[in-house]
Amino acid sequence: MGKSKELSVDLKKRIIDLNKSGKSLGAISKQLQVPRATVQTIIRKYKVHGTVVSLPRSGRKRKLSHAAERRLVRMVKSQPRITKKQVCKDLEADGTQVSVSTVKRVLHRHGLRGCRARKKPLLQKRHLMTRLKFAADHMDKDKTFWRKVLWSDETKIELFGHNTQQYVWRRKGEAFNPRNTMPTVKHGGGSIMLWGCFAASGTGSLQKVNGIMKKEDYLQILQENLKPSARRLGLGRSWVFQQDNDPKHTSKVVKEWLNQARIKVLEWPSQSPDLNPIENMWTVLKKQVHARKPSHLAELHQFCQEEWSNIRPEACQDLVDGYQKRLVAVKMAKGHVTKY
């Protein structure tokens, strides 16, 4: 026999009201069409607890003790990459047999959930030290300093967005229905390499790189785009150029030209894309370009140029004005990677 449906709170209150008015158990049962034993149980419970609301039930005894739960949580915190199956095996080796779903529930109860590991640059001890030094040396710089920085970098953008994810609503067994699949092509359908720069006052030049960029190509890009971008963005004379420590950027021929052109270069810590706000600009650009669904590489380049020029100066300024938060985040993380 299946479990009967629990009575509503309103019906339980009516039972109590009728009992208080002097009606017998049999009369209440007959009037409300509720078994006499149920009426008696509700009235007895009300007299003891003063409520008709369902009380918390103890349920089945937990498979893991509190001590075992704490051990499980410590195990996962110390080994974030461990799988649920491996946790079950480790517990079974100690004489505790639990299911994968039990492990999952325990971890969820302690706020631990399986998430995709973020891909970040490998940081060695020397990288941590230089990142912390950069944060300490520039912590006292105000917004006026960062507004004079011309940020730069290169990025690759694929025609069909090879790394984009798409979610669909489907039933079980319909995973390979053409409506529920995402067509792909090799190498993302082709890609283009771009060099760009921006400042707090807006976006500067966006230059397409033909083939594999060499130091001579990079030097030509700087010669043709650096000073014109700084003038167009109104940076004045005391502006600072930012670039990362790619070997092409730090080559002798590039350093000599920067010195001859009297362009001050911001000393940059290696392996620190999270300290360069242009990475956020690339994310915005790629999202806007892919939303327009370019069909060939020439159109991809055209859309990149159009969307780059469409980025509002206010968005650039907001990004740069919040730069000190990045430095604080590096300090709090003791030089390790940050959310930026």
Side-chain angles (χ1 to χ4, degrees), residues 60-264:
R60 190 182 67 178
K61 185 179 179 181
R62 289 185 177 179
K63 192 78 173 179
L64 293 174
S65 64
H66 291 297
E69 278 197 17
R70 290 194 298 270
R71 178 175 171 273
L72 191 159
V73 172
R74 285 197 304 270
M75 183 193 306
V76 172
K77 284 185 176 180
S78 63
Q79 306 175 67
R81 289 182 172 83
I82 193 171
T83 64
K84 293 190 290 290
K85 289 184 178 180
Q86 186 60 51
V87 171
C88 291
K89 288 182 180 180
D90 290 352
L91 291 175
E92 188 175 354
D94 291 341
T96 305
Q97 189 169 3
V98 293
S99 65
V100 171
S101 58
T102 297
V103 171
K104 183 178 178 181
R105 282 196 300 272
V106 170
L107 294 177
H108 284 187
R109 193 158 58 241
H110 288 268
L112 294 169
R113 296 183 177 274
C115 302
R116 184 179 61 184
R118 304 293 176 88
K119 294 182 179 180
K120 291 289 185 177
L122 174 64
L123 296 178
Q124 298 177 1
K125 187 174 181 179
R126 57 187 174 88
H127 297 134
L128 303 181
M129 299 301 293
T130 55
R131 284 165 58 83
L132 284 171
K133 184 178 184 303
F134 178 86
D137 291 346
H138 295 85
M139 191 68 73
D140 60 342
K141 304 292 185 184
D142 58 13
K143 294 179 181 178
T144 56
F145 173 82
W146 299 114
R147 288 178 182 178
K148 289 287 186 178
V149 176
L150 184 64
W151 307 90
S152 73
D153 196 17
E154 297 90 32
T155 190
K156 183 177 75 170
I157 181 167
E158 294 174 328
L159 181 60
F160 297 122
H162 182 69
N163 293 321
T164 56
Q165 295 186 34
Q166 181 68 59
Y167 294 90
V168 295
W169 293 103
R170 64 172 176 82
R171 292 188 175 90
K172 187 177 180 180
E174 296 181 350
F176 299 102
N177 185 307
R179 297 177 59 186
N180 299 329
T181 60
M182 186 175 177
T184 61
V185 292
K186 287 186 178 181
H187 313 296
S191 62
I192 59 175
M193 180 70 74
L194 300 170
W195 175 92
C197 62
F198 92 104
S201 51
T203 54
S205 297
L206 185 70
Q207 184 71 33
K208 181 183 175 185
V209 179
N210 295 317
I212 299 175
M213 186 168 67
K214 300 178 181 179
K215 58 185 177 182
E216 294 80 11
D217 303 318
Y218 182 65
L219 176 60
Q220 185 177 355
I221 288 175
L222 296 185
Q223 290 172 337
E224 295 176 355
N225 297 277
L226 207 56
K227 287 188 175 181
S229 293
R231 285 194 297 267
R232 190 166 66 251
L233 295 172
L235 296 183
R237 293 185 177 181
S238 58
W239 58 280
V240 181
F241 176 53
Q242 180 277 332
Q243 61 176 0
D244 61 29
N245 296 324
D246 186 285
K248 295 183 292 294
H249 302 172
T250 57
S251 63
K252 183 178 179 181
V253 64
V254 171
K255 282 184 175 180
E256 287 179 351
W257 180 81
L258 289 170
N259 287 332
Q260 292 172 3
R262 296 183 179 180
I263 296 175
K264 184 178 179 181

